Every structure is written in structure tokens, then in C-alpha cells.
Amino acid sequence: MNDLDKDHALFSDTLLDLSDDERIALIVERIESKFLDYDGYDFSRRQILALNIFFELSQELRGREMFYAVCMAIPQALFGLESILYLLEDEETFSLAACSTGRCDKESTKPWSEVMNDRLTIDGETMYIPIRGNPDYNDMLSFEPPHNVLGSFAMRPCSGLPGHARLFLEKYVNRVGYQLHHRIIRSRNREHIAFIKSMVQDIGHNVIVPNMFYKLYFNRLKRKIEQLHLTTSSILAKVNVGATPELVDEGNRLAEIAGGIEAQYQEIYSHYESTSMFLETLLRRRHFEEGRYVLEKRDENLPTSVVAPIIERFRHRFEENGIQLILIGECAEDQVIRLVLDRGLISQVLDNLLSNALKYTEPAPDGQGGEEKCVTYGWKVVADFFGPGKPGIRVWVTSSGAALDLNEPMDVFKPGFRADNVAHKAGTGRGLYFVRQVVELHGGKVAYQHTGEGNEFSFVLPFEQA
């Protein structure tokens, strides 16, 4: 393990759990240790200045070729060495990146071998030093670099170089590796951003626009259903005048089928509206352009425009799973509570809470010697929640069942978190983190507690009005 890897291992294992004072003290200790290390290296003033110059020029000059030139210029200026840079293009193949001579007659690719590997190796006049990266960022590369090696820095003629010069060059290549790693990541990030921009345009063209045409299809289907009802009513009027009982039964059956078709249409259209809203909200172009969720807030009536549509979308699924879905008595579905919010994102928040309730609700005593599965929900205005004269709107979903196994209530809102006693259920641990993100973007707060009725998840939004 080289010095940089040792430093990384030390910091990774200790820094995250330290207090601010302990962290500063450890860094001061490492600085003093580094002073001692450099005293031990006994580098010349020219060598130390060369490290500083490399750092400054690598920050100052843009472009991959210019960076390679800076890397190769230091050994040339100090020791008159020719340099060749190789980078790993996969786990086994080194690809020629640059030569200090301008025209290079070396092979364009070389395999991982006895001379090009994870150790400083001298082969004749050529010294090969592995270029190491920063282990913290290996997951941002296109493949896992073997032994944390990004490439190989070859220099010649090196057979007569004293050990002191070799030590300097090894330390120098370590710094090349970290700079190179960051440049590779920046390049990949730029490619990633360009891909996202292209993808956003594709989403608009191939997802959002075609989805809008479904609205037209639904309207046409609705008109057909209306015509079916009119035709059915006309047939029934004629059938009921002196028709046989069998014909009357067939007419009534036709009316029942028409009613069933309309009911199915309403249910499918309700799902389409919700899904369409979620698509257009979650795939909103500005989210991708700005790299964060961007709110589009409007004046909405919370019970009728957010809660009621989501509840209706879930009602049948709760019934199928034997779960009672109950609006608490003090709330009314036609209640008016107007506030400014992003309807699409807050609807998705409530959708996530109900989806979790559907998945995790368990039977609980019903007070009459039996058991039942029950989910209750509601909302209320909380005076002064955000300070004097700053009320909030609290929305909650409570599902029957045992308390979650948590060290802290807010743990459940961390990305990827799964409580041990519900880990057997399918899930990613992302839903409640999304809830927290959206609510906090609105300036609100999320909470979890186990009440006498079960597991209660809630959020409070500022009672912001237009």
C-alpha cells in the first residue's frame, strides 16, 4: 500500500465519526507527520518547487493534451527523462495516451504484465510507475480499476537514476494519479450531463407528447360510451313496450354491461390522470437541467385536488387486501383548505405514504376480541407550527401494526433505510426519502411515530396562501 492509500484508509476509517475538535486535531497531527515525512525524503528545493509547479499548472491549463504535457515536462525538466503515459481502458489493457517525444513508435496497447502492473518496475532503461487514483471515487469510473491503478507512467533512461530520484518520481506520479482521476471524473460528468440533456429532449418527444394524445383517445371513448348509453336507453324504451320477459332481461343486461363499461372507464381514466400527472411532474425538464427537484407551486384546495384523487385511486386496492380505509371524523372530503403547493409532487408524497400503508399494514386488535387491518388518514390546521402567526397544514396516514424497529424516528426517512422488522417486505428504502425531500423543499417537516392506532407517517406544510 502506498502513502496516499494509507492516508485514505486512515481518514476513511476515522474522520466520519469524529467531533469537529477531534477532526481538526487529527488533521493537525497528520500535517505534522507530513512535515516529518518530507524532511525524511530530503527532497531538493528544485524538486519541492517542481511539485508545486505541477499542481499550479495542472489547475491552470485546460484540456487533456495540455495536462499530459505538464505531467511529462516535470521529469524532463528535472532529470532529462523521456516519458510515455499509458491509461487503462479496461481491467487488463493499457492504452497509449501520450509521449514526451511528440512522435511515439510504441505499441498503442499493452496488456497487464510483469512490467506494467501495480508495482514500480524497472525493465532495462525504462522505469514503470503505476498511476494510482483516489479510491473514494472509483465507483464513478466506467470499471473498477484493479489495485486502484489507472495507468502506467513509463520513463527512460532510468538505469542510472539514484534511489533518491526514483523516490521523488514515485511521489510525483502519485500526485499525477489523483489529478488524472479527477479529470477523468469531470470528463465523465460532462458526458453524463450531455446525455441527460439529450434524454430530457427524448422524454419530451417520446413520452410526454405521446401521453397527451391519450387524453384525446379517452375523450373519444367517453363520447362512444355516452352514445352506448343513449342507444341502450332507446332499446330499453322499445323493449319495455309489449316485449317478452326474455327480451326485457336481455335489455337490462345490456344496460348493466354499459354501466360496467363506464365504471371501468372512470377507474382507468382516474389512473391515467394520476399517472400522467406523476410522469409530467417527475420528468419535468427543469429537474434535470438544475440537478434538483424544482417546485411549480400553485393555489390548490388540498382535500379535493390532492387527497381525494389519490385516495380514490387506492380505495379498491385496500378493499382487495382486506384493509379498512377510514377518513377521520373531523375531516370532510369537500372541505376547503387552500394553500400554495406543487400539486404533482405533493400528490406523489401522499401516494408513497399510502403505498407503504398498503404494503406494511398488519392485523391489530379491534377492541372486540378480534383483529382488523385498518388505515386512517386526515388533515388539520396546526396554529403557530412554524412560529407565531405561521400555521401549518398537517397530513397523516396511520396503519395498524407493530412499531418499526428504529434507533431514531427520523432514520426511516434516510435514503435506502429499511427497518429490520419489515426488511422481509420488498422495497428500496427510497420512497420515504423522496417524501422528505419534497416536503422540505416546500419548507415543511416530516415525522414518524407509533401511536395507539399504529404507525403514523405525517408531514406538515406551511399554510402558504396566494
Side-chain angles (χ1 to χ4, degrees):
M1 182 182 290
N2 71 0
D3 289 348
L4 290 179
D5 287 340
K6 290 178 183 176
D7 293 346
H8 168 264
L10 170 68
F11 288 127
S12 294
D13 292 341
T14 58
L15 285 186
L16 295 178
D17 299 323
L18 298 180
S19 68
D20 289 344
D21 290 341
E22 290 171 332
R23 191 175 292 111
I24 292 294
L26 178 61
I27 296 297
V28 169
E29 180 183 336
R30 293 298 296 151
I31 291 172
E32 292 171 350
S33 175
K34 286 292 182 183
F35 275 127
L36 293 176
D37 287 343
Y38 273 87
D39 282 343
Y41 297 152
D42 195 27
F43 289 156
S44 69
R45 180 173 181 274
R46 184 177 176 84
Q47 288 171 331
I48 293 174
L49 288 176
L51 293 177
N52 294 336
I53 291 169
F54 165 74
F55 178 78
E56 289 186 13
L57 288 181
S58 64
Q59 302 300 311
E60 176 185 327
L61 300 174
R62 299 176 64 87
R64 183 178 302 178
E65 287 74 16
M66 290 301 295
F67 173 70
Y68 293 159
V70 170
C71 293
M72 294 181 293
I74 299 294
Q76 186 177 53
L78 281 178
F79 305 107
L81 300 177
E82 297 178 4
S83 302
I84 307 171
L85 279 176
Y86 295 92
L87 299 182
L88 274 179
E89 62 180 31
D90 56 39
E91 289 86 343
E92 300 177 347
T93 308
F94 291 88
S95 180
L96 179 66
C99 293
S100 61
T101 56
R103 296 185 64 182
C104 191
D105 58 357
K106 302 299 180 182
E107 301 169 271
S108 59
T109 60
K110 285 192 174 186
W112 189 276
S113 65
E114 292 184 358
V115 296
M116 300 185 70
N117 48 56
D118 62 332
R119 305 178 307 278
L120 185 151
T121 306
I122 296 179
D123 181 37
E125 290 290 325
T126 305
M127 178 168 65
Y128 297 88
I129 302 177
I131 303 173
R132 301 182 187 275
N134 186 335
D136 279 338
Y137 303 119
N138 282 344
D139 61 339
M140 301 180 72
L141 300 176
S142 57
F143 62 91
E144 181 73 20
H147 306 286
N148 193 38
V149 171
L150 301 178
S152 183
F153 201 129
M155 288 168 277
R156 62 183 307 275
C158 291
S159 59
L161 276 181
H164 181 268
R166 293 179 187 176
L167 174 65
F168 167 80
L169 291 171
E170 189 173 9
K171 300 302 178 184
Y172 168 70
V173 173
N174 279 340
R175 282 140 187 83
V176 169
Y178 269 48
Q179 288 288 334
L180 176 64
H181 201 153
H182 292 155
R183 285 172 176 266
I184 292 173
I185 292 171
R186 286 200 298 270
S187 176
R188 286 184 59 81
N189 285 343
R190 284 193 292 269
E191 293 171 0
H192 189 198
I193 291 171
F195 169 76
I196 288 175
K197 289 181 177 179
S198 175
M199 185 182 68
V200 169
Q201 295 176 344
D202 290 340
I203 288 171
H205 182 265
N206 297 312
V207 178
I208 302 302
V209 172
N211 185 63
M212 295 170 62
F213 284 104
Y214 283 110
K215 181 82 169 181
L216 174 62
Y217 302 147
F218 274 113
N219 288 337
R220 290 175 180 173
L221 181 57
K222 183 178 180 180
R223 287 195 293 270
K224 293 291 186 182
I225 292 173
E226 290 171 350
Q227 292 173 8
L228 176 60
H229 278 302
L230 290 174
T231 302
T232 301
S233 297
S234 175
I235 290 173
L236 285 176
K238 294 176 181 178
V239 164
N240 288 329
V241 179
T244 63
E246 291 80 3
L247 194 55
V248 171
D249 288 343
E250 287 299 312
N252 291 334
R253 185 167 176 273
L254 178 61
E256 183 181 341
I257 292 173
I261 291 174
E262 181 175 20
Q264 287 290 311
Y265 164 81
Q266 293 295 347
E267 183 176 353
I268 294 171
Y269 184 67
S270 174
H271 281 276
Y272 158 75
E273 283 193 310
S274 296
T275 303
S276 181
M277 178 177 65
F278 292 160
L279 273 176
E280 293 178 13
T281 299
L282 295 177
L283 300 179
R284 191 176 289 158
R285 183 168 183 167
R286 288 184 62 199
H287 297 331
F288 297 94
E289 291 176 341
E290 300 188 25
R292 61 186 179 87
Y293 285 118
V294 178
L295 303 183
E296 292 186 0
K297 298 166 73 173
R298 296 184 178 85
D299 180 64
E300 302 282 357
N301 180 25
L302 179 70
T304 58
S305 68
V306 175
V307 179
I310 301 298
I311 290 295
E312 285 309 308
R313 198 161 77 87
F314 274 89
R315 190 177 300 280
H316 182 62
R317 296 166 65 187
F318 276 94
E319 290 174 357
E320 287 182 334
N321 285 272
I323 302 172
Q324 296 187 61
L325 184 59
I326 303 170
L327 175 63
I328 66 163
E330 61 195 72
C331 300
E333 291 182 345
D334 59 353
Q335 187 176 0
V336 176
I337 298 181
R338 304 205 69 87
L339 68 159
V340 177
L341 52 79
D342 188 312
R343 181 191 170 207
L345 287 174
I346 293 298
S347 295
Q348 187 68 62
V349 163
L350 184 57
D351 185 282
N352 281 355
L353 296 185
L354 288 169
S355 180
N356 277 356
L358 181 64
K359 185 186 304 182
Y360 297 116
T361 297
E362 299 175 346
D366 61 5
Q368 299 177 347
E371 289 186 328
E372 64 177 357
K373 292 196 290 185
C374 182
V375 170
T376 60
Y377 67 98
W379 57 84
K380 69 179 297 184
V381 178
V382 184
D384 302 328
F385 183 88
F386 294 100
K390 298 179 180 179
I393 305 296
R394 183 172 180 268
V395 181
W396 68 91
V397 174
T398 305
S399 56
S400 58
L404 297 179
D405 186 10
L406 304 172
N407 292 323
E408 296 290 339
M410 289 299 290
D411 283 349
V412 75
F413 294 100
K414 293 179 179 178
F417 180 84
R418 305 289 309 286
D420 290 340
N421 57 332
V422 296
H424 62 284
K425 300 277 190 178
T428 63
R430 293 287 305 177
L432 290 176
Y433 177 59
F434 170 84
V435 166
R436 178 178 180 177
Q437 282 183 298
V438 171
V439 170
E440 290 182 350
L441 274 175
H442 281 77
K445 294 184 178 181
V446 295
Y448 161 78
Q449 64 174 333
H450 189 267
T451 68
E453 296 181 357
N455 293 296
E456 179 188 272
F457 293 88
S458 63
F459 60 91
V460 185
L461 301 176
F463 199 170
E464 180 185 352
Q465 296 179 297

